[in-house]
Amino acid sequence: MSGAAYLTEYSGLAASLPGLDLPWLQGFRKQALQVFGVSGFPGNREEEWRYTNLSALNKTLFAPSASQIVDEDWLNQYRLDDAASVVLVNGQFSASLSRLQDLSGQVSVSSLKQALQDRPAWLESRLGQAVSSSEHNLVAFNNAWFADGVVIEVAAKQQLEKPLQILQVVTQADALAATRNLFVLDEQAEAEVIETYIGSVDSYFTASVNECLLGNNAGLTLYKVQLEAEKAQHFGGTYVKQSRDSRFNHHNFALGSGLARSDIHSDLDTAAECSLNGLFVASKRQHIDNHTRINHLKPHGISREFYKGVLDNKARGVFQGRVVVAEDAQQTDSEMNNRNLLLSADAEVDTKPQLEIYADDVKCSHGVTVGQLEEKSVFYLQSRGLDEEAARNILTFAFANEMVDKVENAELKALLLKELLERFPAISL
């Protein structure tokens, strides 16, 4: 699939990207550009992209925007008051909108641009360690085009004192918001991070990559709330390297955008634990693709994965979950479950759970369901005085709310409940 227009424009864009004085970063970008230049955006002939058509990315040349104009009243609807926050507007850090006061001296939070100025050698040894350009061409695209992002480092035995919300906001039509985030937790460190993606215009392209490096016995809880605009294109990839005894908990809520793809991949060392929870809700002609991969590389790892999808109208959902147990990863314990609810005869979900097991002393399982609301349950609620629409909304809300109940952050849970109630009204809490 072609990406020729982006390659043509790259030479003009490159002068505005950070790190021009860093040879290693220029080499990093050049190598990514070469990978992307071979075949452009991923196409349907690639097995991991067979259900997702990215041709829309070639119909509009999405371009970076320097605009920092934001309606703060609108933004504050999504800001969590009890969290510190970093705000990226059109892919660029906004110091005036961010709230980073009172963070411990053992916790460092900065923009990627600032980190490239202040400690380039530290970044050089970490950037690209959790994912490379060869993963697929949207990662290569991000490697070449990222303009800014967030760098978090939590020192050994320290804890991020309050949750950190990363608000990625797009306010410019046809903008490209390409961001790169790096989360480094040293031994026994702890952090809770909440990514929130929103846009005040219809058409734009968000391309964001997270790299997470977890030290021995470190713990990271990462939430992703994707509430992009109706015609937005979204790619968000999270790639994790888990050291011995580390814990990674991810909650992925995909409720917005016209086309969205989320990758969550983690490599587990000895006795590491990984938990992936997800909810995707789509209507009209939305297309939401979730791709997960858990690589058990060493013994005694534990992974749990539970994703739910709700599809209405002509929406399409994709779930591709893959667990790989290496030959050395004896006594691995892994469970994967995907449940999907279709609210329309025209809605569709493609689900593909995969287990690849090369060890003989393991406990692994997976399960998938695809179905509709039970008519007897709808009838029961109608018999209690509800009309049919309200009955169906209550049952659908209950199905989706199981994933929201797994959220421990009370303020975030309230935001998610509000979003669900807007989609399935006629319920009062």
Side-chain angles (χ1 to χ4, degrees):
M1 185 177 292
S2 174
Y6 290 90
L7 294 169
T8 300
E9 294 296 321
Y10 188 80
S11 59
L13 164 67
S16 66
L17 296 176
L20 291 176
D21 58 337
L22 300 174
W24 67 266
L25 184 57
Q26 295 308 302
F28 181 81
R29 293 191 187 276
K30 182 179 179 180
Q31 189 269 341
L33 199 64
Q34 290 172 344
V35 171
F36 181 79
V38 172
S39 55
F41 294 110
N44 296 106
R45 293 183 179 180
E46 298 178 44
E47 179 61 29
E48 295 188 354
W49 292 85
R50 62 182 298 188
Y51 302 117
T52 298
N53 187 339
L54 300 181
S55 60
L57 294 177
N58 289 309
K59 294 177 181 178
T60 302
L61 180 62
F62 298 99
S65 170
S67 173
Q68 293 279 286
I69 299 174
V70 179
D71 180 339
E72 290 196 48
D73 290 336
W74 168 78
L75 174 65
N76 288 336
Q77 298 176 74
Y78 304 97
R79 192 192 291 270
L80 304 180
D81 292 333
D82 293 334
S85 61
V86 175
V87 180
L88 301 170
V89 181
N90 299 316
Q92 304 279 349
F93 173 71
S94 171
S96 62
L97 294 172
S98 299
R99 298 175 179 173
L100 294 172
Q101 301 88 345
D102 303 324
L103 288 177
S104 162
Q106 298 298 306
V107 175
S108 170
V109 179
S110 71
S111 72
L112 182 66
K113 277 186 179 179
Q114 191 63 48
L116 285 169
Q117 293 179 22
D118 295 345
R119 45 180 182 165
W122 183 88
L123 274 179
E124 181 182 4
S125 65
R126 290 165 176 81
L127 200 65
Q129 293 303 302
V131 64
S132 68
S133 297
S134 62
E135 177 66 37
H136 58 65
N137 276 17
L138 273 176
V139 173
F141 180 89
N142 179 275
N143 286 358
W145 266 266
F146 71 81
D148 208 345
V150 181
V151 175
I152 302 171
E153 183 184 16
V154 184
K157 301 182 180 180
Q158 300 299 308
Q159 181 174 358
L160 197 60
E161 295 174 350
K162 57 173 63 177
L164 177 70
Q165 184 181 25
I166 301 175
L167 280 153
Q168 301 223 41
V169 185
V170 181
T171 62
Q172 183 70 42
D174 296 334
L176 167 63
T179 57
R180 188 59 164 259
N181 303 318
L182 178 63
F183 310 147
V184 179
L185 277 64
D186 295 330
E187 185 174 355
Q188 298 184 48
E190 300 277 346
E192 178 181 330
V193 179
I194 302 161
E195 296 183 275
T196 309
Y197 294 88
I198 54 176
S200 61
V201 290
D202 269 349
S203 175
Y204 58 89
F205 178 28
T206 297
S208 181
V209 168
N210 300 328
E211 291 191 87
C212 308
L213 305 177
L214 307 186
N216 292 343
N217 203 24
L220 173 63
T221 297
L222 180 60
Y223 296 96
K224 178 182 179 181
V225 183
Q226 190 269 101
L227 301 170
E228 303 271 32
E230 187 172 338
K231 296 181 181 179
Q233 313 288 314
H234 174 93
F235 169 70
T238 294
Y239 305 92
V240 189
K241 292 288 186 184
Q242 293 189 236
S243 298
R244 186 185 184 100
D245 297 309
S246 62
R247 300 165 305 284
F248 176 64
N249 299 304
H250 192 270
H251 301 260
N252 181 19
F253 295 92
L255 308 178
S257 83
L259 185 148
R261 163 76 175 230
S262 288
D263 282 8
I264 304 99
H265 296 179
S266 191
D267 295 340
L268 280 65
D269 204 330
T270 304
E273 299 179 14
C274 178
S275 174
L276 307 182
N277 297 299
L279 172 67
F280 52 102
V281 179
S283 62
K284 299 181 181 178
R285 292 182 177 273
Q286 281 182 275
H287 182 106
I288 298 180
D289 182 349
N290 298 281
H291 185 283
T292 69
R293 186 169 72 225
I294 300 174
N295 293 319
H296 287 272
L297 302 177
K298 297 292 180 66
H300 305 292
I302 299 174
S303 65
R304 297 289 183 265
E305 183 168 2
F306 190 18
Y307 263 68
K308 280 190 169 187
V310 181
L311 292 307
D312 199 0
N313 307 127
K314 295 185 178 182
R316 186 173 185 181
V318 179
F319 172 79
Q320 294 193 72
R322 184 179 173 196
V323 174
V324 181
V325 181
E327 185 176 359
D328 293 337
Q330 302 293 345
Q331 297 187 336
T332 289
D333 183 351
S334 177
E335 294 179 10
M336 183 198 312
N337 202 313
N338 173 226
R339 299 178 185 174
N340 302 282
L341 181 60
L342 303 183
L343 303 179
S344 162
D346 295 321
E348 180 180 347
V349 65
D350 296 289
T351 179
K352 186 180 178 182
Q354 297 173 278
L355 295 178
E356 294 182 28
I357 303 173
Y358 302 99
D360 53 16
D361 182 11
V362 301
K363 183 170 68 174
C364 298
S365 65
H366 66 75
V368 172
T369 61
V370 179
Q372 299 175 324
L373 293 173
E374 290 186 348
E375 291 303 321
K376 64 180 181 181
S377 298
V378 176
F379 177 77
Y380 173 79
L381 290 178
Q382 287 182 276
S383 72
R384 313 302 287 183
L386 295 175
D387 62 37
E388 182 178 359
E389 181 182 7
R392 291 184 178 278
N393 281 340
I394 286 175
L395 291 170
T396 305
F397 175 87
F399 177 85
N401 189 51
E402 182 180 2
M403 306 313 297
V404 178
D405 275 343
K406 294 179 180 292
V407 174
E408 296 184 1
N409 185 300
E411 197 175 5
L412 176 60
K413 181 180 288 190
L415 173 64
L416 291 167
L417 287 174
K418 174 178 174 292
E419 293 292 331
L420 282 184
L421 288 173
E422 288 179 359
R423 289 160 175 80
F424 310 114
I427 309 170
S428 58
L429 294 179

